[in-house]
Amino acid sequence: MAPRERVPHPPAMRRRRAVRALLLAAGVAVLLPLALLAFVATFDWNRAKPWLVARAGEATGRAIAVDGDLEVAWRWRRGDGEGAAWSPGLHVRASGVRIANADWARSPSAATFDRLDADLSAWPLLWHRIDLARIEVEGPRIDVERRADGSDNWTLEHGGDAGSWSVAVGDVVLGAGEIDIRDARRKLDLHATIEPLAAPIAFGERVAGDDPSTRRDVIGFVGKAAAQRLREAAREREQRRAERGTSVKPPPYRFAFTAKGTLAGMDLAARGRFGGVLALRRPEPFPLRADFDVGSTQIALTGTITDPASPDAVDMRLWISGRNLAHLYDILGIALPKSPPYATVGRLAGRFDPSRTVLRYEDFTARVGGSDLSGTLTYRSGEPRPTLSGEVDSTLLRLRDLGAVVGAGSAEERAARGDRIAQPAGRVLPAAPFDVERWRAADADVHFTGKRVIRNEDQPITGVETRIRMQDGTLALEPLRFGMAGGRVDGLVRIDSGPSPAKGAVKLSARKLALAR
């Protein structure tokens, strides 16, 4: 009798099949990446340019062209943050890149680059997401435009359906190039040139060629104590960051820029320097130093821009001086009264956001003519108009420095600020009509206190406290309290700019006034 053939035990068969499946999977896991690596390394990516630029155009809503070569290589990159994992990615290099402009713009291209290098994360591509971890550009020529109706050429309209592509950007590194900015709303026309520095300059270091005149003139006007307060506040903030372990030393400056143009009919010139890498998704400081001359106004700033999501993404020391506060309307969009020469220094902090910009002018000190002001103000963008709020104090406020608001000042001072109607002697209220044209540009809610307010030396006003509100073009000082002639005055002042001419109301009650005074 022939021997019986042994049949493998079912569990043993399953184990053998599992081993074969594992070996096959391991082979695929090893061979597939190798095949992909070989494909990426050897494929002529210029043949794929039409498809790739079409996908990029779909993601941005703008036609994109690559006139030169297109190269792609594998590059492993580590994610942001401590302990982040490594992930596969692609390094893309393209020469002669052009991005089409909006069809109404002056220039045919919104941006052109002699060369563009980009690190692209691989996994997000599976979800139609172009994640550009880092972009480096050489020879950028960028056109930025906005029309009077608010439409602009930098807001991208994504094409396609729900499955369309999206774009996310991490670090941006600019090279030497040019930028044109035209803003019909702000009546701004500016051309800027970017050049690399011969050698990096440490943050805070002053070098030959720096123009410190604005900073020096402002401090000379407001007093050295103001600069000392800012330095002390900066040291306290840095100490708190060090205690929290969030202190980061700003990198050095690597590029310089110059700009010339016009703003609201005024000549504009700017110069400065900035860092090499703008991190849009990491809390790495981007150093910036700049000086602006706009008509008779000088502005200087030094500081950093960090994580855009942070409430302190902008952290700058700001110096401003000029001949007339009213000129700041065309620069900052805030309606201020005509004034004699002024200067101010403080800290600018906050963040820019497409839908909600919040900026704080902290611990500022200002001098307007012979008057002093200090405090903190907050600016918030929004609809239907931006708002300005905060606290302002004054040790000495001369009404003549408020100019046309109260009709004060000598004939020479009124002529210098442009007042055309002479103020009769002995009149308390201004004879010139209020200029209410700009009152609807912004709303305001500011608490003001003044130790000593002077119209003339014989009749000082003391202990002033009021809440200044501007809402829908109506100005209100309510409540209004101050000491005068040995007594106290309480009341309100309200002016409505809607009617023509504007209508006002004053309600005051007095106690213990020495009428003889």
Side-chain angles (χ1 to χ4, degrees):
M1 179 181 293
R4 297 178 59 186
E5 183 178 355
R6 297 184 62 184
V7 178
H9 196 269
M13 293 180 63
R14 287 197 293 270
R15 284 195 296 271
R16 290 177 184 175
R17 290 172 182 169
V19 169
R20 285 197 295 268
L22 288 174
L23 291 175
L24 179 61
V28 171
V30 172
L31 293 177
L32 183 59
L34 291 176
L36 288 173
L37 287 170
F39 173 77
V40 170
T42 60
F43 181 70
D44 181 6
W45 287 95
N46 287 313
R47 296 169 57 185
K49 267 198 309 186
W51 184 88
L52 291 173
V53 297
R55 299 291 75 74
E58 179 184 339
T60 60
R62 297 285 178 84
I64 295 178
V66 178
D67 298 327
D69 289 333
L70 177 65
E71 304 172 19
V72 180
W74 281 106
R75 175 174 291 183
W76 287 81
R77 69 174 299 273
R78 188 174 182 178
D80 299 329
E82 186 176 352
W86 291 84
S87 62
L90 300 171
H91 181 75
V92 180
R93 171 173 290 181
S95 301
V97 179
R98 292 181 287 114
I99 302 175
N101 216 336
D103 54 10
W104 50 263
R106 297 188 201 178
S107 173
S109 298
T112 63
F113 310 106
D114 291 343
R115 194 179 76 182
L116 185 149
D117 285 81
D119 287 336
L120 179 68
S121 299
W123 298 130
L125 294 173
L126 300 176
W127 292 273
H128 282 204
R129 177 181 172 88
I130 299 177
D131 189 343
L132 299 168
R134 183 181 177 92
I135 297 178
E136 297 184 29
V137 296
E138 290 186 7
R141 289 171 291 279
I142 300 173
D143 179 70
V144 179
E145 297 188 41
R146 182 169 67 167
R147 295 190 289 187
D149 62 5
S151 56
D152 57 65
N153 74 333
W154 62 83
T155 300
L156 302 177
E157 298 179 359
H158 303 293
D161 53 19
S164 62
W165 293 73
S166 62
V167 179
V169 179
D171 295 349
V172 177
V173 183
L174 290 176
E178 300 178 354
I179 301 175
D180 284 298
I181 303 175
R182 303 181 185 94
D183 188 339
R185 272 192 170 183
R186 301 294 306 278
K187 299 178 182 178
L188 172 65
D189 194 336
L190 184 69
H191 178 78
T193 301
I194 300 172
E195 295 287 349
L197 294 171
I201 300 174
F203 179 76
E205 179 182 347
R206 285 173 52 183
V207 298
D210 282 348
D211 179 13
S213 60
T214 299
R215 297 163 175 81
R216 183 179 60 244
D217 293 347
V218 168
I219 296 304
F221 200 6
V222 303
K224 294 182 179 180
Q228 182 61 29
R229 283 196 297 272
L230 282 179
R231 285 192 290 267
E232 291 175 356
R235 282 195 292 267
E236 291 175 1
R237 286 192 300 272
E238 185 60 28
Q239 183 176 354
R240 289 194 295 269
R241 293 190 189 107
E243 292 172 353
R244 295 194 302 264
T246 58
S247 177
V248 180
K249 183 179 179 180
Y253 300 107
R254 294 188 179 276
F255 291 90
F257 73 90
T258 57
K260 286 189 176 182
T262 58
L263 173 63
M266 299 178 290
D267 290 336
L268 187 159
R271 60 207 172 277
R273 53 181 179 258
F274 55 86
V277 179
L278 177 59
L280 300 180
R281 293 188 300 197
R282 295 182 296 110
E284 179 176 314
F286 180 78
L288 174 64
R289 174 191 170 99
D291 291 86
F292 301 87
D293 294 326
V294 188
S296 62
T297 303
Q298 293 80 44
I299 301 174
L301 55 86
T302 300
T304 60
I305 302 172
T306 54
D307 179 8
S310 167
D312 290 328
V314 177
D315 187 353
M316 302 275 181
R317 279 188 294 169
L318 180 66
W319 299 259
I320 306 177
S321 67
R323 297 178 187 171
N324 192 332
L325 278 170
H327 294 166
L328 288 177
Y329 176 78
D330 292 319
I331 301 173
L332 304 178
I334 300 174
L336 296 170
K338 296 177 182 178
S339 76
Y342 69 92
T344 178
V345 61
R347 179 195 181 222
L348 182 67
R351 69 173 180 270
F352 291 97
D353 185 270
S355 59
R356 190 71 167 170
T357 293
V358 179
L359 293 173
R360 304 184 309 279
Y361 190 35
E362 296 181 347
D363 303 322
F364 74 84
T365 301
R367 193 168 185 84
V368 182
S371 303
D372 66 83
L373 299 167
S374 62
T376 293
L377 293 170
T378 300
Y379 169 89
R380 293 179 175 86
S381 67
E383 296 295 338
R385 60 187 66 86
T387 61
L388 184 69
S389 60
E391 304 274 342
V392 177
D393 302 312
S394 175
T395 302
L396 174 63
L397 178 65
R398 296 181 181 273
L399 292 185
R400 65 194 302 169
D401 296 327
L402 294 181
V405 174
V406 293
S410 65
E412 292 78 9
E413 289 170 331
R414 291 195 297 271
R417 65 181 180 240
D419 294 351
R420 294 183 175 85
I421 298 179
Q423 179 70 13
R427 295 289 182 91
V428 174
L429 298 178
F434 282 100
D435 182 5
V436 298
E437 181 181 353
R438 297 173 174 176
W439 282 21
R440 294 182 180 274
D443 291 338
D445 189 349
V446 178
H447 181 255
F448 173 80
T449 58
K451 291 183 179 180
R452 186 176 175 87
V453 178
I454 296 178
R455 179 175 178 84
N456 60 65
E457 296 294 341
D458 297 330
Q459 295 178 351
I461 298 172
T462 60
V464 177
E465 182 179 1
T466 185
R467 181 182 180 187
I468 306 169
R469 286 182 291 177
M470 180 76 78
Q471 184 71 39
D472 296 330
T474 298
L475 174 66
L477 279 67
E478 183 180 1
L480 173 61
R481 305 185 183 97
F482 57 89
M484 181 179 180
R488 293 291 300 176
V489 177
D490 293 87
L492 62 88
V493 176
R494 188 175 293 127
I495 303 174
D496 184 357
S497 67
S500 182
K503 292 184 178 181
V506 179
K507 296 181 180 180
L508 298 175
S509 63
R511 293 179 299 166
K512 299 181 180 181
L513 289 186
L515 297 182
R517 294 171 55 186

